[in-house]
């Protein structure tokens, strides 16, 4: 007898009692024969508000074709997206991280309410990917994630540029290094079409991590947005989720602790975004996997940084695609013993089985360095701890020549005030620029600081001024920066008690972040401190009152306190 794949939809597919339920579905084209088949949701993050997602509708249709061809009944539905690049440096950036949870909640809601049997989730911009994955974890139906793909690089005078080039151009313009016309040329040429930001920034980082974790089809994470390969990825994903239903393979069978270790290893080797730590912790939390920030340091210590990718390197994701893609890097890591080959994937096969027919990286390529000549002998994402961040802080040290910085704190409670100080040349070489009360609760929403970090780089201060925050940094940020300082200022973390001129030490070799203060003085300062009132209105108010510490992934569902 043929296996019934209607693991959820059977509740309305049969019997007189559910005739009204079926009547509604008939109106959207579901037939008698269809009610005998599994219902597969296609979660589309299409939107016109960002180039990252402008093409997702067409990809969703391809996934629908694949699911239909395999034998399912595919139904497309939508969710939101916001663009970090557009909201960056504005109050709108507070909505970025909360959008991750909104995306996850909305997809889970549709899958649960409609009793869907399987899910293909297609995401592109930064928060789409972890949002889709949190939904997949909580929906608990067979699922495949598809990345919408990377944007092609822009070009000026034969030189590749991208969105970070524009942010850094603002700093150069402020320093008088380029004029209005040059800045406008960079602005107009940086983003030539559809797709997520081109370097190894957050979207490409998380896409690579999801392929490494086994939830995306092999080779799909590095296929460009506007390519035949990307359209085929989506069609194949529609077929793959049907086959997962046939085999009874669920996300919990794929996303194990070892699979998360594979994802972290690939992120370290590629020189990925600091946001990967936040998002992988959140996805692991949804999967009820015991993953902590200490696991990142453990894997960082034994994983070399191999990729010469932006923001600290030369190349973009499309260049990696041309020389073999993420899959070829994974093959390289697997053969050298860095990855767990026995982890199950959405192909229904193990990673080791998937690797058998993967071509190696092209010869004479310069995007991925060999093991005997890495960019760094260990990973570039480091968790720092100390009396300034007892629960941890995150630094990305790829391309940073300075391993230790000691200097006076220049303390600001808003990004706007700090940016004005930088623009007006009030921040000097050797300073430690601190932006606080911008954590998950305090922001609220833990905004990214790409705008100010890029201005510092553009002004030539990228490694001469340390930038610390309880907020986040974009995957496009590089320089001497430390984010995710926990506990955050809003929660009474030590960063709340920093004062102007306090001497701060950042040591990436020792993985320490400290400020010079006696216990007596610290207790004295605490006596005069009161937490600012939490934001109360709308989405940000709900977020501020529910979100956890960044060291736990800034999650918003219930935790054991």
């Amino acid at each position: 007898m043929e296996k019934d794949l209607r693991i959820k939809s059977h509740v309305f597919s049969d019997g007189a009692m559910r005739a009204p339920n079926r009547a509604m579905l008939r109106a959207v084209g579901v037939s008698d024969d269809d009610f005998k088949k599994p219902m597969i949701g296609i979660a589309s993050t299409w939107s016109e508000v960002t180039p990252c997602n402008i093409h997702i509708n067409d990809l969703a249709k391809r996934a629908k074709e694949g699911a239909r061809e395999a034998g399912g009944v595919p139904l497309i539905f939508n969710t939101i997206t916001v663009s970090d690049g557009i909201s960056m440096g504005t109050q709108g950036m507070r909505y970025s991280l909360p959008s991750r949870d909104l995306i996850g909640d909305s997809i889970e809601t549709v899958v649960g309410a409609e009793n869907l049997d399987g899910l293909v989730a297609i995401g592109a911009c930064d928060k789409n990917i972890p949002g889709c994955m949190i939904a997949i974890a909580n929906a608990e139906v067979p699922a495949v994630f598809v990345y919408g793909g990377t944007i092609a690089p822009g070009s000026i005078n034969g030189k590749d540029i991208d969105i970070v080039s524009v942010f850094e151009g603002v700093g150069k313009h402020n320093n008088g290094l380029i004029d209005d016309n040059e800045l406008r040329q960079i602005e107009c040429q940086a983003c030539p079409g559809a797709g997520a930001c081109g370097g190894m920034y957050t979207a490409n980082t998380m896409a690579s991590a999801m392929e490494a974790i086994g939830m995306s089809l092999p080779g799909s994470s590095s296929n460009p947005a506007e390519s035949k390969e990307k359209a085929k990825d989506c069609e194949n994903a529609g077929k793959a989720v049907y086959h997962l239903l046939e085999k009874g393979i669920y996300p919990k069978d794929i996303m194990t602790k070892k699979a998360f270790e594979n994802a972290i290893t690939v992120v370290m080797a590629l020189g990925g975004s600091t946001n990967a730590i936040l998002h992988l912790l959140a996805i692991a939390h949804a999967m009820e996997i015991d993953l902590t920030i200490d696991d990142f340091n453990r894997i960082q210590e034994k994983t070399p940084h191999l990729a010469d990718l932006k923001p600290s390197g030369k190349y973009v994701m499309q260049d990696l695609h041309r020389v073999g893609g993420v899959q070829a890097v994974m093959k390289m890591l697997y053969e050298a013993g860095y990855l767990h080959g026995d982890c199950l994937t959405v192909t229904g096969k193990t990673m080791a089985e998937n690797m058998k027919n993967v071509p190696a990286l092209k010869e004479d390529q310069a995007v991925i360095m060999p093991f005997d000549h890495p960019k760094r002998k260990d990973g570039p994402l480091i968790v720092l701890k100390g009396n300034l961040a007892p629960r941890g802080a995150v630094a990305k040290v790829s391309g940073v020549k300075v391993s230790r910085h000691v200097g006076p704190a220049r303390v600001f409670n808003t990004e706007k005030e700090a940016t004005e100080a930088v623009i007006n040349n009030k921040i000097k070489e050797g300073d430690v620029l601190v932006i606080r009360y911008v954590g998950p609760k305090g922001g609220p929403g833990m905004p990214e600081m790409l705008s100010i970090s890029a201005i510092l780089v553009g002004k030539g201060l990228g490694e001469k001024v340390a930038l610390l925050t309880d907020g986040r940094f974009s995957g496009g940020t590089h320089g001497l920066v430390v984010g995710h300082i926990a506990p955050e200022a809003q929660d009474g973390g030590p960063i709340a008690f920093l004062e102007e001129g306090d001497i701060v030490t950042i040591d990436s070799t020792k993985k320490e972040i400290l400020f010079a203060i006696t216990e007596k003085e610290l207790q004295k300062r605490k006596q005069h401190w009161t937490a600012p009132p939490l934001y109360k209105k709308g989405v940000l108010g709900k977020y501020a009152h529910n979100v956890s510490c960044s060291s736990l992934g800034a999650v918003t569902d219930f935790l054991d306190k």
Side-chain angles (χ1 to χ4, degrees), residues 26 37 40 81 107 183 239 256 301 307 333 406 449 468 514 546:
R26 290 182 189 280
K37 303 172 183 177
I40 296 172
T81 187
I107 294 174
L183 181 59
K239 295 176 182 178
T256 62
E301 290 167 2
L333 290 167
V406 181
M449 304 289 154
L468 311 186
L514 309 164
N546 285 284

Side-chain angles (χ1 to χ4, degrees), residues 123-416:
C125 202
D126 293 12
K127 306 309 171 296
N128 299 175
I129 303 172
C132 287
M133 293 307 303
I134 289 169
I136 285 171
N138 288 328
E140 298 181 333
V141 298
V144 177
F145 174 76
V146 187
Y147 178 42
T150 184
I151 195 172
S155 180
I156 286 184
N157 301 322
K159 181 182 178 181
D160 285 351
I161 60 170
D162 60 13
I163 187 63
V164 176
S165 307
V166 192
F167 281 105
E168 292 178 1
V170 173
K172 292 178 181 179
H173 180 267
N174 177 252
N175 246 23
L177 301 176
I178 60 175
D179 60 23
D180 290 350
N181 183 58
E182 289 174 295
L183 181 59
R184 177 174 166 76
Q185 285 184 36
I186 297 170
E187 174 189 337
C188 292
Q189 300 299 322
C191 301
C197 298
M200 191 45 64
Y201 311 146
T202 302
N204 283 325
T205 297
M206 292 308 299
S208 303
M210 290 311 102
E211 182 172 338
I213 216 169
M215 287 302 299
S216 294
L217 291 171
S220 63
S221 64
S222 41
N223 287 334
E226 297 181 305
S227 68
K228 292 179 180 178
E229 295 99 324
K230 183 51 59 186
K232 196 68 177 175
D233 288 341
C234 293
E235 185 178 330
N236 289 338
K239 295 176 182 178
V241 74
Y242 186 88
H243 298 317
L244 291 173
L245 278 162
E246 288 182 312
K247 296 172 182 177
I249 297 174
Y250 288 74
K252 64 182 174 59
D253 301 314
I254 296 171
M255 288 195 280
T256 62
K257 178 69 176 280
K258 288 166 72 174
F260 276 93
E261 290 177 345
N262 283 345
I264 296 169
T265 298
V266 168
V267 168
M268 292 291 178
L270 292 176
S273 165
T274 52
N275 284 311
I277 295 180
L278 195 73
H279 296 325
L280 287 172
L281 285 171
I283 298 166
H285 173 82
M287 286 301 304
E288 299 184 77
I289 299 293
D290 182 22
L291 188 74
T292 72
I293 57 171
D294 295 326
D295 288 310
F296 288 84
N297 268 353
R298 174 173 58 83
I299 295 171
Q300 177 269 337
E301 290 167 2
K302 62 182 182 181
T303 306
H305 177 200
L306 303 174
D308 193 13
L309 292 166
K310 291 189 175 190
S312 58
K314 300 176 185 176
Y315 300 102
V316 295
M317 191 66 151
Q318 186 165 289
D319 296 315
L320 178 56
H321 165 71
R322 287 171 179 155
V323 302
V326 171
Q327 192 69 357
V329 177
M330 287 171 58
K331 182 183 180 74
M332 179 180 175
L333 290 167
Y334 168 66
E335 290 180 343
Y338 287 96
L339 298 179
H340 304 292
D342 57 345
C343 291
L344 190 62
T345 73
V346 290
T347 64
K349 300 177 181 178
T350 64
M351 178 179 288
E353 290 171 324
N354 289 342
M355 291 293 168
K356 286 180 180 177
N357 297 317
V358 173
L361 284 163
K362 291 184 178 179
E363 295 182 6
D364 300 322
Q365 59 82 31
V367 182
I368 303 297
M369 310 300 286
F371 287 113
D372 59 0
H373 188 59
K375 295 278 289 181
R376 277 179 60 97
K377 63 179 177 58
D378 53 9
L381 298 182
I382 295 175
V383 174
L384 309 173
K385 289 187 177 180
N387 69 348
L388 189 54
R391 295 188 192 170
V394 179
K396 183 175 180 180
V397 296
S398 53
V400 178
K401 298 181 179 66
V402 179
S403 61
R404 179 180 169 86
H405 182 97
V406 181
R410 305 297 310 281
V411 184
F412 299 88
N413 292 342
T414 69
E415 181 184 5
K416 181 181 178 182

